[in-house]
Amino acid sequence: MALSGDLWAELPAERRIFCSVLLFSWAVYLWEAFLAHRQRRVYRTTTHVPQELGQIMDSETFEKSRLYQLDKSTFSFWSGLYSEVEGTMILLCGGIPFLWKLSGQISGRAGFGPEYEIVQSLVFLLLATLFSALTGLPWSLYNTFVIEEKHGFNQQTLGFFFKDAIKKFVVTQCILLPVTSLLLYIIKIGGDYFFIYAWLFTLVVSLVLVTIYADYIAPLFDKFIPLPEGELKQQIETMAKSIDFPLTKVYVVEGSKRSSHSNAYFYGFFKNKRIVLFDTLLEDYSALNKEPAEGEDGESEETKSKTKNKKQGCKNEEVLAVLGHELGHWKLGHTVKNIIISQMNSFLCFFLFAVLIGQKELFAAFGFYDTQPTLIGLMIIFQFIFSPYNEVLSFCLTVLSRRFEFQADAFAKELGKAKDLYSALIKLNKDNLGFPVSDWIFSMWHYSHPPLLERLQALKDAKQE
């Protein structure tokens, strides 16, 4: 042990940094693989409905969810292994400095010399995201057209999938490249306190994106229509008014064109709040509960519903209970608390980045001996150096999220929605083929929402009251 310690101490600082990053990355991967193995063992061995679930889940649904989650877990193992090996090979083979040099050659041919670092950084970012998209494409195709298709969730055609993927890539670049160029410029001209200006800039960008996402970005991919006038809309508006939620509009998004999974969320700031419901959540609106009309064409034909695995959705009272839970997050300040935590973390990271950016050993560890590009510094420090901190923070936020979920359920109970939320959670678990039995360590580390049984038990106590 002493000998190995001496050998480690004799290594140059940049080698110690590089080896530490690589070792920690594999340590995290092995930990995740260990947890996934424990959970797969649960999927394999729990073949009958546990007694405590007998009243809420039939054996056919239980078996479907078990097989679905087992397939997903196996896929996650292989895709995770590939991702880890790919990342390791990129680091060992000097992929990052190679791509930076290639970016310089491309920008140089366009008339931009080494002094145009921001231009070279944007070329690097474009090439890196393109490489990531291409290497991830086979995995995404397999996940969508094999696993999701096999279990009845996929509603996309191959043409829709590729059109959607290209559109996502283009939209991402239209946002990522301008924002990155401005951030790099701010860091370069910001002086000793650039980290404050960089943090303020990212704060403004995040708030703007949250504000415009549902109005301008999401409609590029899915169709949003106002919830028609009727009993459900009136009930939603009445509930929102009862808790002083400043609701302005309610939308239904045609999520059934790409997947059978369901969701609901709200967005907006101050007095301009809007609610979005996936059509797969609504029993009366989901295209998956309807027979396709004869002669349908255009986009509807391209994303034709596969009715072999219809989803039941939720009744109006259950939809209201789900919204009561979601609005509980707003009423209890969970959204604001999450924003504050996120921004405190962002400020801390930028401050530490300002402290570390001058350390040439960090750049040398990843093959940058003669130059210290700002973008590369951001990548090294935020992605590699901060990785232990990010793992701890992620676990803490997972624990906090579960606490918030229980509080939101309790808020729905106070609105008198315990019975309807109870049945809605069972339906949503069935519709999404959620498996209700979990390994306790896997659950503790990964689940941002409490296990189904725990949530139902809390709601059951309220029902009995």
Side-chain angles (χ1 to χ4, degrees):
M1 291 294 290
L3 180 60
S4 61
D6 291 339
L7 291 173
W8 177 261
E10 290 175 2
L11 287 174
E14 57 267 25
R15 298 305 300 168
R16 294 201 301 270
I17 293 171
F18 181 83
C19 291
S20 296
V21 166
L22 210 54
L23 288 172
F24 184 78
S25 176
W26 275 96
V28 170
Y29 169 76
L30 292 173
W31 167 247
E32 296 283 0
F34 167 71
L35 295 180
H37 171 73
R38 290 177 61 98
Q39 184 62 20
R40 275 196 302 277
R41 186 169 58 191
V42 172
Y43 296 145
R44 291 193 182 100
T45 57
T46 313
T47 56
H48 300 287
V49 182
Q51 185 176 357
E52 62 269 25
L53 293 171
Q55 300 298 317
I56 63 174
M57 200 170 194
D58 61 83
S59 57
E60 181 183 359
T61 302
F62 185 84
E63 180 65 9
K64 284 182 178 179
S65 66
R66 186 183 74 85
L67 295 176
Y68 175 54
Q69 296 299 334
L70 185 58
D71 283 349
K72 283 179 61 179
S73 180
T74 302
F75 171 80
S76 179
F77 168 77
W78 289 110
S79 62
L81 178 61
Y82 168 80
S83 178
E84 187 64 24
V85 171
E86 178 190 81
T88 300
M89 294 306 295
I90 288 173
L91 291 179
L92 290 175
C93 298
I96 299 176
F98 169 79
L99 193 61
W100 179 257
K101 183 179 179 181
L102 178 62
S103 303
Q105 293 172 351
I106 294 174
S107 57
R109 290 175 184 172
F112 298 96
E115 65 274 17
Y116 292 93
E117 184 188 309
I118 293 180
V119 174
Q120 185 174 350
S121 298
L122 297 184
V123 175
F124 175 89
L125 202 56
L126 178 61
L127 294 177
T129 51
L130 181 61
F131 174 82
S132 178
L134 291 176
T135 56
L137 184 60
W139 298 99
S140 182
L141 282 168
Y142 186 88
N143 182 58
T144 302
F145 292 101
V146 177
I147 296 179
E148 295 294 301
E149 178 79 20
K150 174 182 176 182
H151 295 279
F153 288 112
N154 176 46
Q155 306 299 319
Q156 304 178 64
T157 63
L158 201 59
F160 181 91
F161 175 89
F162 278 107
K163 185 176 75 173
D164 202 50
I166 293 171
K167 195 186 299 184
K168 284 179 182 177
F169 183 82
V170 172
V171 171
T172 298
Q173 300 310 311
C174 289
I175 297 172
L176 181 63
L177 297 182
V179 168
T180 302
S181 62
L182 286 172
L183 177 61
L184 294 176
Y185 182 72
I186 289 171
I187 291 175
K188 284 192 170 296
I189 69 167
D192 293 339
Y193 298 100
F194 77 83
F195 63 93
I196 298 178
Y197 310 131
W199 167 68
L200 289 173
F201 172 71
T202 56
L203 170 61
V204 171
V205 168
S206 63
L207 293 178
V208 169
L209 287 177
V210 167
T211 302
I212 69 172
Y213 174 77
D215 287 327
Y216 300 102
I217 299 176
L220 296 174
F221 304 95
D222 296 299
K223 185 177 180 181
F224 286 69
I225 58 174
L227 180 66
E229 296 293 336
E231 182 182 2
L232 178 60
K233 184 176 181 181
Q234 184 178 5
Q235 290 174 327
I236 291 174
E237 291 173 342
T238 300
M239 183 173 67
K241 187 176 181 181
S242 71
I243 62 171
D244 300 320
F245 182 78
L247 178 64
T248 55
K249 292 182 181 179
V250 184
Y251 291 108
V252 176
V253 58
E254 294 184 355
S256 56
K257 285 189 173 183
R258 66 178 69 246
S259 173
S260 301
H261 293 293
S262 51
N263 197 7
Y265 63 90
F266 68 87
Y267 69 99
F269 289 104
F270 307 113
K271 300 297 181 181
N272 187 30
K273 305 286 188 184
R274 304 176 186 192
I275 289 174
V276 176
L277 306 170
F278 279 53
D279 61 345
T280 47
L281 178 68
L282 310 176
E283 187 178 68
D284 296 335
Y285 292 89
S286 177
L288 301 172
N289 290 336
K290 303 173 183 177
E291 294 296 331
E294 292 185 8
E296 284 187 340
D297 54 13
E299 190 174 56
S300 296
E301 183 176 327
E302 182 184 26
T303 58
K304 59 184 181 294
S305 297
K306 296 160 183 155
T307 56
K308 61 183 179 181
N309 190 28
K310 293 180 183 179
K311 300 302 175 186
Q312 65 188 81
C314 292
K315 297 178 181 178
N316 286 359
E317 295 80 8
E318 295 164 339
V319 173
L320 287 171
V322 171
L323 283 180
H325 168 94
E326 294 300 327
L327 296 183
H329 286 304
W330 169 79
K331 190 68 173 180
L332 298 171
H334 296 165
T335 306
V336 173
K337 290 173 184 176
N338 281 329
I339 291 175
I340 292 173
I341 292 171
S342 173
Q343 292 309 313
M344 288 176 62
N345 173 63
S346 178
F347 180 82
L348 174 63
C349 288
F350 274 115
F351 172 74
L352 294 175
F353 170 77
V355 173
L356 297 172
I357 189 63
Q359 304 297 317
K360 293 183 178 181
E361 294 85 357
L362 292 177
F363 290 90
F366 295 90
F368 290 84
Y369 300 100
D370 303 319
T371 181
Q372 290 86 42
T374 304
L375 179 65
I376 300 300
L378 284 167
M379 177 187 296
I380 291 172
I381 294 172
F382 277 75
Q383 183 176 344
F384 299 129
I385 305 303
F386 287 171
S387 53
Y389 165 74
N390 290 336
E391 288 296 323
V392 174
L393 178 65
S394 176
F395 174 70
C396 292
L397 291 178
T398 299
V399 173
L400 181 64
S401 175
R402 283 200 296 269
R403 178 180 175 85
F404 284 170
E405 292 301 320
F406 275 125
Q407 291 176 352
D409 282 351
F411 182 83
K413 289 194 307 189
E414 292 176 5
L415 295 177
K417 308 293 183 183
K419 180 179 178 181
D420 294 323
L421 184 57
Y422 187 95
S423 59
L425 289 176
I426 294 173
K427 282 187 177 182
L428 292 175
N429 185 78
K430 178 182 178 181
D431 288 354
N432 292 286
L433 292 184
F435 194 69
V437 183
S438 305
D439 174 78
W440 72 273
I441 304 180
F442 183 88
S443 170
M444 177 185 68
W445 187 260
H446 282 292
Y447 286 1
S448 60
H449 286 58
L452 177 65
L453 281 178
E454 293 182 22
R455 297 180 70 180
L456 293 181
Q457 185 58 51
L459 290 169
K460 190 175 182 180
D461 293 341
K463 286 170 60 182
Q464 292 172 347
E465 291 172 7

